[in-house]
Amino acid sequence: MIRGPIAVCKSESKTNHRGPVTLSAAKCPRAKHSTTQSSHSVAGHERLLIQTGFAEGFFNRQNDALGRGVRATTKSVRNSTPLITAIFAILATFVLLPAPGMAHAEFVRADPPVDGLAISAPDRITLTFSEPVTTTAPAPVVSILNEHGEYIGESPLPILTSDDPRTLMLEIPDLERGTYTVTWETTSATDGHSLSGVYAFRVGGGLPPGLATSANDLPAPWAVATRWLTFLGASLAAGLLLFSEAFVVKIREGSRWRSWRGRLILGGAALALSATVAEPLIQWLVGDSSLRTLIDALPGGWWWRPTLLLPLTLLGLAVAWPMRGALPRPIALAGATLALGSLLGLIMTSHAAGRADDRLAAIASNALHQWTVALWTGGLASLVVWTITRSGADDAPALRIRRFSNAALGLFVAAVVTGVVNAGFIFPFVSEVRANGFQTSVFDPLWTSNYGVVLLIKVAILLIPLTLAIYHRQTVARLGLHARSTVVEVAGKMPRTLRWELIAIAAVIVGGSTIALSAPPSTVEAPLEHITLVAAATEVVEPDSILVHLTIDPADSGENAITARLTDGDGVELAEASVLRFALDFTSLEHGTVSPGVSLQRSGGGSNVFQTAGLDLSLEGWWQIDARFTLTGENEQVATFYSLLPDPNTQGSDAAPKPPSDPDAEALFETAYGQMLGWDRVRWTERLGSGNDALVVASFAVVDGGEDEPDAHTLNLEYSGGFEATVSGIPPQPPTYDSRASITIGVKGWLETRSGVWLDQPPSSFSTPSEWDTIYSGSEHHRMGAIQVIDGVEHQVVAFYLPTQQGRSEAWVVWWIETSSGNVQQVAMIARLHYMVWNYPDIDGDFTIEPPGPE
């Protein structure tokens, strides 16, 4: 038992850094007390200088030992030069190689677009990825479902021929008006990893679909396991091969230590090799493709794993048996180079190797991250093995562990720094902040994607080994160099906490293996650089109607460039100089301010394109824009637009206004909403745009039959035109007029053909006003706007926000509530790629819906 303070002093005898060090309390003149176990001085073959985690060595606080440490460190670095040179040579070779395909074929875009609007029913779906995907074995699986979850057409859909290996084109049957969901699963042509996702789009108008889910489902557990075992096996082999060279002052190696070391080097190499070989075998067993097809599809980077792990396994076999665990320095350095080099097979099939930009920096950062984590893990595992083999064995290795804490500290710092850099490559926080300013939404992918959630869990688990490392440091620093019993006690207790630290690190590596096989979250960027809205000057759009195409750039509060182009209903520009005058009236719906008669200049010559730059729209919120123009020989006409500034489709949803809610506005909203849910029958018109120069006009009617009569619904798709090429480059199709009409009464339905013939069809899905309670549920940020007089009737403007809900994307809405009746007479809504206006001219009117008459 220790009776008092212990003074640690140098022996009077001269020592060598590889020789015994004698510690004697009796030789310390300043010691005020001695121990009752002074006879338990530490013998040379029982030295234990454990520096785990971030602990500093006992002798580093003593000048003579510090000098020895510096000299030993210099020699260690000099002896490790071949290894360092080999590692960086391998890294340079890979970095300078021509860029292979992306490690993961990430989903880039779709046509029809995600959450977007198809003006007319498309005949194909186009999915575009960042890199080539397989179209044969395993073939992509893409299906389309309607609002009821029923498959439309074949499942999976037929694949069409495409000249671009990054693009999947799939044939789909004719779609009716409504929301559709596309589910897809494809395989990267570069590494065989699968990627799946689902997204929604809308055909022909109506409420916007729900926000699409990101295509980053968690990878298969077996794929994570094989990658994890490969990393652990290579790390263990590298750690054991370098452990004695880097951290041990050799006095006498025991046979037990040599035996364990040799067999574990072999075990680690064999484990990594077996996990690597198992990957295509398991994929063959669980999939439909042939083994030969899967092997041929393996990326070039993957082959570095078996190429380097096979000779590493043979080297481990030689060390374990013919060499009986002996490990000459050349063998140790060569083996460590093979082990760390094999990790390039993981590095070159990671997200870093698949970047289109900053690829070299991403690969270098990822390589340093994986190597530092591997050396940290392997070194700690070797320390655990070393403490086990020396416990209670007569021939235990008389070794001194030196400077492990210094190396562990450096490896930990490097791993954390490179991990942060790697996250920066995956999550473009910096570019987002530069583009849109600092907003908390730039960090949303951290907790809204599988990739981000796993990363956060990985970071949380990382706190466990960090805490244990700090505990080890404090334990060793507090004990100092005591008597033999104290050293034995430390040797007995430390392995237990060291093992927990190692287990925690292994769990962290599971997280790393998971996110390496998960698709990184797609950055939610503003889909439009500017918006182009289309409105007609007449209620019914005919070929000779005048359409105004209004472009607002960048559709943000402040200065904007406005361009107006006038065409007929077919999208053909009007004859030169046919427009005598053109001006815009701007009315803030929330503040009531009016800027009338803002003139636009003709762009040049006799064209009917008008524009102005630097127009200051400083007030945020809803704007009504009335385009007033006069044609030769005709009266003035007006086309009306509704815009929200800042616009969520150009500036991002966080930029769009969400002011505090006004209790009076909220109360008025609740009253009007309750009244809307009580409507028995209503007719309304819908004008819908996509923000990229498209217009759909439709009319509806619905009757709540109550208990005595069936519910009924009619739809007339009066006009549908898009005037820009699709995201896939497909040119716009000519507009259509009166292209669809349907009637549904109870369980019977009819569809009118273009020749005017009514055919029986399954009843269309619709809802009566009493079922509209989910449309505006959860509304927030209600605010009272201006009083507007429309057709001589006073209306109160109320604006509000609808947050994202299941099956519905977020939206910004403004109501015009008639002050005399309390009815909602008009609604404008802006959502993702949706700009809608509803007018309710006939509420609870005297009308019925009848079956179609005879032909």
Side-chain angles (χ1 to χ4, degrees):
M1 170 179 280
I2 300 175
R3 301 292 186 185
I6 300 298
V8 181
C9 303
K10 293 187 297 181
S11 171
E12 293 181 352
S13 60
K14 186 177 181 180
T15 60
N16 182 274
H17 76 283
R18 290 188 180 271
V21 177
T22 303
L23 304 178
S24 174
K27 297 296 184 180
C28 299
R30 296 184 180 180
K32 297 181 179 180
H33 304 282
S34 62
T35 70
T36 58
Q37 297 181 1
S38 58
S39 60
H40 293 165
S41 60
V42 184
H45 66 282
E46 293 171 333
R47 301 294 188 276
L48 178 62
L49 305 181
I50 301 180
Q51 299 180 37
T52 58
F54 306 136
E56 294 296 334
F58 306 129
F59 288 151
N60 285 356
R61 293 191 298 270
Q62 303 180 45
N63 292 334
D64 59 339
L66 180 60
R68 292 195 300 269
V70 172
R71 291 191 297 272
T73 301
T74 303
K75 184 175 181 180
S76 176
V77 172
R78 185 172 59 252
N79 292 336
S80 302
T81 299
L83 174 64
I84 297 173
T85 303
I87 290 174
F88 278 94
I90 294 175
L91 176 59
T93 299
F94 264 86
V95 168
L96 295 176
L97 282 175
M102 288 285 285
H104 298 279
E106 300 170 25
F107 179 64
V108 174
R109 64 176 181 268
D111 187 19
V114 173
D115 289 341
L117 170 67
I119 300 302
S120 58
D123 59 359
R124 67 183 62 182
I125 292 174
T126 302
L127 305 177
T128 302
F129 300 87
S130 56
E131 286 295 326
V133 294
T134 61
T135 56
T136 53
V141 177
V142 183
S143 302
I144 185 168
L145 300 89
N146 62 17
E147 296 174 354
H148 306 290
E150 302 165 339
Y151 286 104
I152 303 297
E154 300 180 45
S155 181
L157 296 171
I159 302 175
L160 302 175
T161 302
S162 174
D163 296 333
D164 187 350
R166 300 171 302 173
T167 299
L168 288 179
M169 296 177 61
L170 303 114
E171 184 178 4
I172 59 175
D174 187 30
L175 301 178
E176 298 180 359
R177 177 189 175 92
T179 298
Y180 294 90
T181 300
V182 178
T183 65
W184 54 270
E185 180 177 356
T186 187
T187 303
S188 169
T190 57
D191 66 359
H193 295 153
S194 62
L195 189 66
S196 61
V198 56
Y199 81 94
F201 67 92
R202 186 85 189 178
V203 173
L207 292 172
L211 226 63
T213 58
S214 59
N216 63 328
D217 290 346
L218 289 174
W222 65 263
V224 175
T226 55
R227 193 176 183 94
W228 178 63
L229 293 175
T230 299
F231 189 91
L232 285 183
S235 300
L236 179 61
L240 286 165
L241 287 161
L242 289 178
F243 186 69
S244 295
E245 289 299 320
F247 305 120
V248 173
V249 178
K250 299 181 181 179
I251 301 173
R252 176 177 59 83
E253 287 190 343
S255 60
R256 191 178 184 212
W257 160 250
R258 290 198 306 269
S259 176
W260 274 62
R261 179 176 62 188
R263 292 177 183 178
L264 287 175
I265 291 173
L266 173 60
L271 176 65
L273 180 61
S274 300
T276 295
V277 174
E279 283 188 356
L281 293 176
I282 297 176
Q283 193 171 1
W284 169 57
L285 292 174
V286 301
D288 299 327
S289 302
S290 67
L291 181 60
R292 178 59 184 271
T293 299
L294 293 173
I295 292 176
D296 291 341
L298 289 171
W302 181 90
W303 287 98
W304 281 81
R305 288 164 62 182
T307 301
L308 295 180
L309 287 173
L310 181 58
L312 178 63
T313 304
L314 297 177
L315 183 146
L317 185 65
V319 171
W321 275 280
M323 300 174 62
R324 300 178 180 271
L327 198 59
R329 176 170 294 145
I331 297 295
L333 296 179
T337 302
L338 291 173
L340 295 177
S342 68
L343 295 181
L344 286 167
L346 303 178
I347 295 166
M348 299 308 294
T349 54
S350 67
H351 300 299
R355 290 187 60 84
D357 54 354
D358 300 323
R359 176 176 176 269
L360 302 185
I363 291 177
S365 177
N366 190 34
L368 291 175
H369 180 71
Q370 295 210 31
W371 285 340
T372 51
V373 173
L375 290 174
W376 184 21
T377 305
L380 187 60
S382 302
L383 185 60
V384 172
V385 174
W386 185 84
T387 56
I388 293 174
T389 59
R390 75 171 304 281
S391 300
D394 294 336
D395 63 344
L399 310 176
R400 292 207 312 271
I401 307 301
R402 66 185 182 192
R403 294 174 303 281
F404 184 79
S405 65
N406 298 339
L409 175 60
L411 293 172
F412 177 81
V413 171
V416 170
V417 170
T418 52
V420 171
V421 172
N422 293 342
F425 281 118
I426 297 298
F427 299 95
F429 299 135
V430 175
S431 60
E432 282 288 292
V433 171
R434 287 177 178 174
N436 302 315
F438 182 81
Q439 302 171 1
T440 56
S441 62
V442 301
F443 301 104
D444 286 350
L446 283 175
W447 46 81
T448 59
S449 65
N450 289 332
Y451 190 100
V453 170
V454 174
L455 179 61
L456 291 177
I457 294 174
K458 175 184 173 183
V459 172
I461 298 176
L462 184 62
L463 297 176
I464 298 176
L466 176 61
T467 302
L468 290 172
I470 295 174
Y471 163 75
H472 292 150
R473 169 188 173 86
Q474 292 176 341
T475 299
V476 176
R478 182 177 64 253
L479 289 174
L481 190 59
H482 290 173
R484 178 180 184 276
S485 59
T486 305
V487 175
V488 173
E489 181 182 0
V490 174
K493 290 183 177 180
M494 292 289 274
R496 288 196 292 271
T497 52
L498 286 174
R499 291 169 198 171
W500 281 112
E501 184 178 346
L502 182 60
I503 291 172
I505 295 174
V508 171
I509 297 171
V510 171
S513 300
T514 302
I515 62 178
L517 297 177
S518 301
S522 301
T523 303
V524 181
E525 299 177 348
L528 304 175
E529 295 182 0
H530 56 262
I531 60 171
T532 299
L533 307 176
V534 184
T538 55
E539 183 175 345
V540 178
V541 182
E542 302 287 352
D544 59 352
S545 298
I546 305 302
L547 300 181
V548 179
H549 308 253
L550 188 71
T551 299
I552 308 175
D553 185 6
D556 195 2
S557 56
E559 292 189 354
N560 286 266
I562 308 293
T563 302
R565 180 171 61 92
L566 279 69
T567 69
D568 62 17
D570 292 330
V572 178
E573 188 172 331
L574 301 182
E576 293 183 1
S578 60
V579 180
L580 299 179
R581 176 179 172 273
F582 187 92
L584 299 176
D585 295 343
F586 292 88
T587 303
S588 172
L589 296 178
E590 298 179 48
H591 301 89
T593 59
V594 180
S595 299
V598 178
S599 297
L600 275 67
Q601 302 300 317
R602 204 181 297 269
S603 63
S607 72
N608 289 314
V609 177
F610 301 84
Q611 59 188 15
T612 184
L615 183 62
D616 187 11
L617 301 174
S618 57
L619 295 177
E620 291 189 351
W622 283 93
W623 287 85
Q624 175 179 314
I625 307 174
D626 295 313
R628 300 182 178 275
F629 58 92
T630 304
L631 301 182
T632 303
E634 298 186 16
N635 295 327
E636 183 182 68
Q637 301 184 54
V638 181
T640 301
F641 304 85
Y642 297 99
S643 176
L644 180 67
L645 301 180
D647 188 282
N649 283 308
T650 61
Q651 306 305 314
S653 60
D654 283 346
K658 299 174 187 175
S661 191
D662 178 359
D664 292 338
E666 187 172 356
L668 180 58
F669 163 83
E670 294 292 347
T671 301
Y673 194 18
Q675 193 159 312
M676 176 187 289
L677 298 178
W679 295 345
D680 288 330
R681 60 194 65 215
V682 60
R683 286 193 286 211
W684 75 95
T685 60
E686 175 186 85
R687 288 189 290 133
L688 172 65
S690 61
N692 52 7
D693 208 4
L695 175 64
V696 175
V697 179
S699 61
F700 304 85
V702 64
V703 172
D704 188 340
E707 298 180 357
D708 301 329
E709 299 292 335
D711 297 340
H713 174 264
T714 65
L715 158 67
N716 290 283
L717 185 56
E718 300 171 357
Y719 178 82
S720 179
F723 305 97
E724 283 189 1
T726 67
V727 294
S728 300
I730 300 175
Q733 300 296 314
T736 59
Y737 302 85
D738 295 320
S739 59
R740 182 179 182 83
S742 68
I743 299 175
T744 297
I745 302 176
V747 295
K748 300 189 65 176
W750 298 268
L751 175 68
E752 185 181 27
T753 66
R754 294 195 176 184
S755 60
V757 177
W758 287 91
L759 303 176
D760 292 343
Q761 73 160 9
S764 300
S765 175
F766 68 94
S767 58
T768 61
S770 62
E771 299 170 319
W772 292 356
D773 57 319
T774 59
I775 295 179
Y776 300 107
S777 62
S779 59
E780 302 174 351
H781 304 286
H782 304 83
R783 53 200 184 276
M784 202 78 78
I787 298 289
Q788 276 199 318
V789 177
I790 303 176
D791 296 331
V793 179
E794 188 177 81
H795 294 77
Q796 173 65 59
V797 174
V798 175
F800 55 92
Y801 166 73
L802 291 174
T804 302
Q805 294 188 12
Q806 182 68 32
R808 185 190 72 194
S809 65
E810 63 180 341
W812 287 258
V813 186
V814 61
W815 278 2
W816 286 259
I817 303 173
E818 186 177 309
T819 56
S820 59
S821 67
N823 278 325
V824 178
Q825 294 290 341
Q826 181 171 285
V827 177
M829 174 186 288
I830 293 179
R832 179 175 167 83
L833 301 180
H834 282 67
Y835 295 78
M836 293 181 284
V837 178
W838 291 295
N839 285 283
Y840 299 99
D842 193 354
I843 298 173
D844 289 336
D846 185 17
F847 68 88
T848 59
I849 297 177
E850 303 289 343
E855 299 179 11

